[in-house]
Structure formats: structure tokens, C-alpha cells
Amino acid sequence: QVHLVESGGGLVQAGGSLRLSCAASGSISSINAMGWYRQAPGKQRELVAVISSGGRTTYADSVKGRFTISADNTKNTVYLQMNSLKPEDTAIYYCNQGILLSSGYYPMDNWGKGTLVTVSS
């Protein structure tokens, strides 16, 4: 079992930056890929970015060029660097353990509790 804990959320003005962290503990060697999702009020949870254990990354079109996902294996932590933030990026951000295949990312039922990002206009 892998335990996930997010941090780094907060309030930022439009155009600003935040870096989210997702610390993993437990059976780290079992991780194939990690994803960041977000859920805005009244909306469905959406996939934002994914990184595989081999370093392959994918992004939602809405964040391409603004967000960067990375991993520090020495710290068992995945990061989401968010630049040029917009009010529509406001959401609770969750990290997730999953599997990245050529057909896409498949989330496992393993989620952190989330961290709130609020972008003011």
C-alpha cells in the first residue's frame, strides 16, 4: 500500500506560481505512475498531469506550457509546478497512484486528501 500526502496549496493572484508536492510512503517500488488531478466546485475531477516511473509525462491541454510535473525519487515526492495561474485553475488538487500505458493513464483507487489552490483575479 502507498500512502500519499499533498501539500503546497494556497491563495495566489492570477499570473502567479505555486508548487504542489505529493509525498509517497509505503510500497514505493510498486508505483508505475503518479497523476495530479483537480476538482473545481460543481465540476468533475479532471486529470491534469502524469509522470511515469520512467519519467514520461503527459498534460491536459488546459495546462500545457504552464504546469510541469516532476519527481524526486530520493525524496519519494512528485511535484506540480504551476506557473501563469488563472482563476479557472482554482480547485482542490489531488495526487493519485496509477498506471500509464500507451492507451492512457489508469488511476488506482489510491488518493491523497488534496490541497486547495485558489487563484484570485
Side-chain angles (χ1 to χ4, degrees):
Q1 184 73 12
V2 176
H3 184 59
L4 304 172
V5 178
E6 303 95 335
S7 62
L11 174 64
V12 63
Q13 288 188 331
S17 299
L18 280 176
R19 189 179 78 159
L20 306 184
S21 300
C22 175
S25 59
S27 302
I28 304 299
S29 61
S30 68
I31 295 175
N32 173 272
M34 295 287 292
W36 281 100
Y37 282 77
R38 66 185 181 187
Q39 187 166 21
K43 295 188 177 181
Q44 288 189 329
R45 193 171 294 189
E46 64 170 340
L47 181 62
V48 173
V50 174
I51 187 165
S52 72
S53 57
R56 176 186 167 194
T57 59
T58 64
Y59 297 92
D61 288 342
S62 59
V63 305
K64 278 182 182 177
R66 300 189 298 123
F67 290 12
T68 302
I69 189 170
S70 62
D72 184 338
N73 294 328
T74 65
K75 297 182 179 179
N76 295 330
T77 300
V78 173
Y79 302 99
L80 186 67
Q81 178 67 43
M82 306 186 296
N83 299 329
S84 302
L85 282 162
K86 304 175 181 180
E88 51 263 45
D89 293 318
T90 295
I92 299 175
Y93 284 72
Y94 300 88
C95 66
N96 167 263
Q97 177 190 1
I99 299 172
L100 181 61
L101 302 176
S102 57
S103 54
Y105 179 74
Y106 298 87
M108 299 172 65
D109 188 20
N110 187 15
W111 301 85
K113 293 186 177 180
T115 186
L116 176 63
V117 172
T118 304
V119 184
S120 63
S121 57

